[in-house]
Amino acid sequence: MERRYIILANWKMNPETEKEALTLARAYKNLDVPKGIEFGALVPLPYARPIAKLWGRNKMLLGLQNINSEKSGAFTGEVSFAMLKPWTPKLVIVGHSERRAIGETDAEVNQKVLRALKENVTPIICVGEKVRDDHGFFLRTVEDSLKACLASVPKSAYPSIIIAYEPVWAISSNGGREMLPAECHEMMIFIRKVIADMLGGNKNMPRVIYGGSVNELNSREYLESGADGLLPGHASLDPKKMQKLFNSLAPIQK
Ligand code: 13P
C-alpha cells in the first residue's frame, strides 16, 4: 500500500494560553488539506485533552512532545502514557534537539520509543547534527544516533515509526541558513541506507521526514527531494502560513 505524505506541526511551547491553543486548533480543523496528505499537530501536554475533544473523530492526528518511558514511579515532574488513559495520543515526538539540549539522551529516547510502540503510539524519532563539517563526521553522528534510538526495536515495528531528520543548525530559532533541497535529498538517502542495512533490506522501512525552517516556500522542494513528510515548527503557529504551505503542495501524490 502506498503511504501518504505526513505533515506534523510542532507547536513547541506555544501558544501561551489554552484559549489561543483552541483557536489555533479550530483553525487547523478548517484548513484545506490536499488529498494525499496526512496532517497533525504535536501539542503541549495541557492542551492535548481539550484539542482531542475539539477534533473529535476528525481525521487529524494529535500527538505529544514528550512522555516518560515508565508506567509510574519516582520520576518527579514526569507524565506517563498510563496517566492519559482512556485518551491515547496518536504520536509522540522523542529526542527533539531542544530536549536533547536539556539532557535527553539516545538511551532515553530508545526507552521512550519502546514504550510508545507498546502503547500503539507512533514515535517520531528526531536525529540531526548540530554542525556540519567537510569530512562527513556529521554523518556518523546521525548514524550512531539512529542506531542507538532504534536499539532492540523489532524489525516488524519499523513501519510504525517515523524518523525526523532535523539538522539543528537549520532550525529557525537557531538562526542558521535553510537546508538546501539537494542536501535534504542526500540525507534522505543516507538515513534510508543506514536503516536498510539495519533491516537487512528495504522492507519494513519507516517513514523519514524533514524538519528545519520548513515553510510555504520550501515545502514542495523538500518533499520532491525525497522526504516522506515535513515537521514545521515556527510556521505551524500561523494557520494562514499552513494554508499557503498546503496550497503549495496541491495537487500532490506520493
Ligand atoms: P522550525 O520550523 O521553527 O525551524 O522548527 C523545526 C523544528 O524544530 C520542528 O520540530
Side-chain angles (χ1 to χ4, degrees), residues 59-177:
K59 54 193 178 317
M60 259 174 325
L61 304 167
L62 183 55
L64 299 179
Q65 300 173 8
N66 186 37
I67 203 72
N68 192 278
S69 58
E70 300 293 329
K71 276 194 166 161
S72 60
F75 304 102
T76 303
E78 292 290 295
V79 175
S80 68
F81 281 123
M83 291 171 182
L84 302 173
K85 285 185 176 154
W87 181 73
T88 313
K90 294 261 183 355
L91 318 120
V92 63
I93 192 166
V94 290
H96 191 282
S97 59
E98 287 150 17
R99 293 204 54 80
R100 291 179 187 269
I102 54 170
E104 191 161 278
T105 63
D106 282 333
E108 284 162 349
V109 173
N110 176 244
Q111 291 304 304
K112 291 178 183 188
V113 170
L114 294 170
R115 168 61 62 191
L117 289 169
K118 250 187 223 155
E119 305 283 341
N120 282 324
V121 177
T122 299
I124 306 153
I125 306 174
C126 295
V127 292
E129 75 281 3
K130 286 193 187 129
V131 287
R132 287 218 154 182
D133 60 278
D134 291 336
H135 306 285
F137 288 119
F138 69 93
L139 295 171
R140 175 57 68 83
T141 307
V142 172
E143 179 171 353
D144 289 350
S145 188
L146 272 172
K147 286 181 174 163
C149 293
L150 288 165
S152 52
V153 171
K155 288 181 183 179
S156 59
Y158 276 51
S160 312
I161 289 172
I162 296 175
I163 306 292
Y165 172 59
E166 287 200 309
V168 183
W169 52 267
I171 293 178
S172 65
S173 50
N174 295 335
R177 68 169 174 89

Side-chain angles (χ1 to χ4, degrees), residues 30-45:
N30 295 326
L31 290 175
D32 186 12
V33 180
K35 267 188 189 124
I37 290 182
E38 286 180 271
F39 175 45
L42 310 166
V43 307
L45 182 61

Side-chain angles (χ1 to χ4, degrees), residues 141-246:
T141 307
V142 172
E143 179 171 353
D144 289 350
S145 188
L146 272 172
K147 286 181 174 163
C149 293
L150 288 165
S152 52
V153 171
K155 288 181 183 179
S156 59
Y158 276 51
S160 312
I161 289 172
I162 296 175
I163 306 292
Y165 172 59
E166 287 200 309
V168 183
W169 52 267
I171 293 178
S172 65
S173 50
N174 295 335
R177 68 169 174 89
E178 282 182 20
M179 171 165 253
L180 302 172
E183 292 170 318
C184 181
H185 181 61
E186 284 167 4
M187 289 309 293
M188 292 297 133
I189 292 174
F190 176 74
I191 288 170
R192 291 198 178 103
K193 162 88 172 80
V194 170
I195 294 173
D197 285 348
M198 290 170 74
L199 286 170
N202 65 359
K203 268 198 196 133
N204 289 333
M205 290 292 280
R207 283 193 276 194
V208 187
I209 67 173
Y210 174 73
S213 299
V214 166
N215 60 43
E216 69 277 19
L217 302 175
N218 57 25
S219 291
R220 193 174 187 101
E221 285 183 313
Y222 288 135
L223 293 187
E224 286 175 350
S225 67
D228 293 317
L230 300 168
L231 193 59
H234 185 253
S236 74
L237 298 173
D238 181 346
K240 286 195 190 116
K241 281 197 175 172
M242 287 306 286
Q243 187 58 65
K244 281 189 189 162
L245 188 155
F246 286 127

